[in-house]
Amino acid sequence: MNETHDAVEPVLTITDAARDKILEIRAGSEGQEADAIWVTISGEANGAYTYDITLRSADDAGELDLVQDHDGLPAVVDADSVLRLAGACLD
């Protein structure tokens, strides 16, 4: 798994409300292997990015994927989406 990056400015921020909702959904999911939220840009529509947001294991992160910790919630941004998600906020 990729090392967790402790950047001064996180690529992706997650509000407390969003984090709480994600943790609630994760608690109700089957098994604990889906411990991280994954955010990937999947395309573009009407001049805006479209996203895939899933729960899966942080252990699946590749060497170039970005793994950030949000108060105990791992967030993974795939390598191809890092630059385009810089400064994004999940709310």
Side-chain angles (χ1 to χ4, degrees):
M1 175 173 77
N2 191 2
E3 295 292 320
T4 300
H5 296 276
D6 293 320
V8 174
E9 294 284 330
V11 168
L12 177 69
T13 57
I14 300 174
T15 65
D16 289 342
R19 182 183 168 281
D20 290 347
K21 189 64 166 175
I22 294 163
L23 292 174
E24 179 184 320
I25 292 167
R26 185 179 78 175
S29 68
E30 297 283 330
Q32 288 300 320
E33 60 275 356
D35 64 342
I37 185 165
W38 283 67
V39 182
T40 303
I41 293 178
S42 58
E44 194 173 328
N46 301 320
Y49 294 125
T50 56
Y51 308 92
D52 284 332
I53 301 175
T54 58
L55 289 173
R56 59 187 254 222
S57 176
D59 291 339
D60 293 343
E63 194 171 301
L64 299 177
D65 294 333
L66 178 67
V67 180
Q68 293 180 291
D69 181 76
H70 293 271
D71 294 323
L73 173 67
V76 181
V77 177
D78 78 300
D80 293 334
S81 299
V82 169
L83 291 178
R84 295 180 287 171
L85 279 173
C89 180
L90 186 59
D91 185 24

